[in-house]
Amino acid sequence: PELQKQEEHGELLQPLIFVLLVLCSVLLYFKVSLMDPGFVKSEEEAKAGKSEEQSMVIPQVPSPIKMRRCGYCMVKQPMRARHCRLCQHCVRRYDHHCPWIENCVGEKNHPLFIVYLSVQLVVLLWGGHVAWSGLSFEQSWDWLQHNILLLTSFLLIVIFTTVVLLLLLSHLYLISCNTTTWEFMSHHRISYLQHSELENPFDQGVVLNLWRFFC
């Protein structure tokens, strides 16, 4: 009867949504960490992946851009790709190797990584609000003893929220400029950026950059 009353008043809806968000965050974490971030395949694997029908329909036109071979895994490395020593693979549109997910963030999983950070931020903000609402500050030792766990949880949530928020904002800024973390941090060491007349040859305007990345 008590649960039925809470359901009628909508008191169970918020905890249910929160649990679903946490579950969604966990699933996104495993998806982003386990999926292929855009590993560059060797010529043999690439040829095996193409069907005979595709090879008949699509003519093999030589690319005007000369691809160099990676010094580690010896595959032909397309532009904006980089070899990750931790993953031991070259990754297309390499952004960075994320220690949180123990995987590279690249061409295939970067958009999903942004979704994961967004959901994680919502969960942390909601959790911080719940923890803060449970605190009623009093200047006494007894109060501190009874609320030390809740207070510690709130401080940890604040720290994690700040980290996730800064990470999400920095990624959204880089995406809006159509650049990657690696290109932004190592601009002076990347050959195709060094010899370019433009500071960022991939920038096509904020709207088009966001559209191409997410859509």
Side-chain angles (χ1 to χ4, degrees):
E2 187 65 30
L3 284 174
Q4 191 174 359
K5 286 181 181 178
Q6 289 180 341
E7 187 179 359
E8 288 174 358
H9 288 90
E11 294 175 8
L12 295 178
L13 185 60
Q14 286 190 359
L16 180 62
I17 294 173
F18 181 76
V19 170
L20 288 174
L21 278 173
V22 172
L23 181 62
C24 180
S25 174
V26 173
L27 292 174
L28 281 169
Y29 171 82
F30 283 110
K31 176 67 176 175
V32 174
S33 61
L34 296 175
M35 74 182 293
D36 176 4
F39 294 135
V40 180
K41 296 179 180 179
S42 63
E43 287 94 322
E44 290 78 12
E45 290 174 321
K47 285 178 183 178
K50 290 181 180 180
S51 65
E52 291 182 9
E53 186 180 347
Q54 285 179 319
S55 61
M56 287 172 66
V57 173
I58 303 170
Q60 300 298 317
V61 181
S63 174
I65 301 169
K66 187 178 179 181
M67 294 194 296
R68 69 184 186 90
R69 283 199 179 273
C70 173
Y72 295 97
C73 55
M74 300 308 293
V75 297
K76 283 188 177 179
Q77 199 177 62
M79 190 177 288
R80 309 192 80 179
R82 182 175 187 256
H83 183 87
C84 175
R85 296 187 186 183
L86 295 172
C87 291
Q88 296 184 350
H89 281 285
C90 284
V91 180
R92 293 179 182 275
R93 201 181 181 278
Y94 175 86
D95 189 87
H96 71 289
H97 183 93
C98 181
W100 287 16
I101 62 173
E102 282 297 324
N103 194 11
C104 280
V105 176
E107 185 178 73
K108 289 187 178 180
N109 66 346
H110 200 171
L112 206 60
F113 180 72
I114 299 299
V115 175
Y116 163 68
L117 287 179
S118 303
V119 174
Q120 191 67 50
L121 182 62
V122 172
V123 170
L124 286 167
L125 288 171
W126 197 334
H129 172 71
V130 171
W132 178 260
S133 62
L135 291 169
S136 54
F137 292 97
E138 295 176 15
Q139 293 182 348
S140 67
W141 178 247
D142 289 336
W143 175 87
L144 186 61
Q145 281 185 316
H146 287 96
N147 292 273
I148 186 67
L149 187 62
L150 190 60
L151 188 61
T152 305
S153 300
F154 176 73
L155 292 174
L156 285 173
I157 288 172
V158 169
I159 293 169
F160 284 127
T161 302
T162 305
V163 172
V164 172
L165 179 62
L166 291 175
L167 189 60
L168 179 61
L169 289 176
S170 64
H171 272 276
L172 288 174
Y173 168 74
L174 293 174
I175 291 164
S176 68
C177 300
N178 196 1
T179 189
T180 63
T181 303
W182 172 56
E183 290 171 343
F184 182 77
M185 300 294 290
S186 306
H187 189 279
H188 61 287
R189 293 194 291 123
I190 301 172
S191 58
Y192 60 81
L193 293 180
Q194 281 180 331
H195 302 113
S196 172
E197 295 178 1
L198 301 171
E199 186 176 352
N200 180 10
F202 307 109
D203 188 6
Q204 296 179 305
V206 176
V207 176
L208 192 56
N209 290 340
L210 292 172
W211 174 263
R212 294 200 170 202
F213 181 84
F214 288 106
C215 304

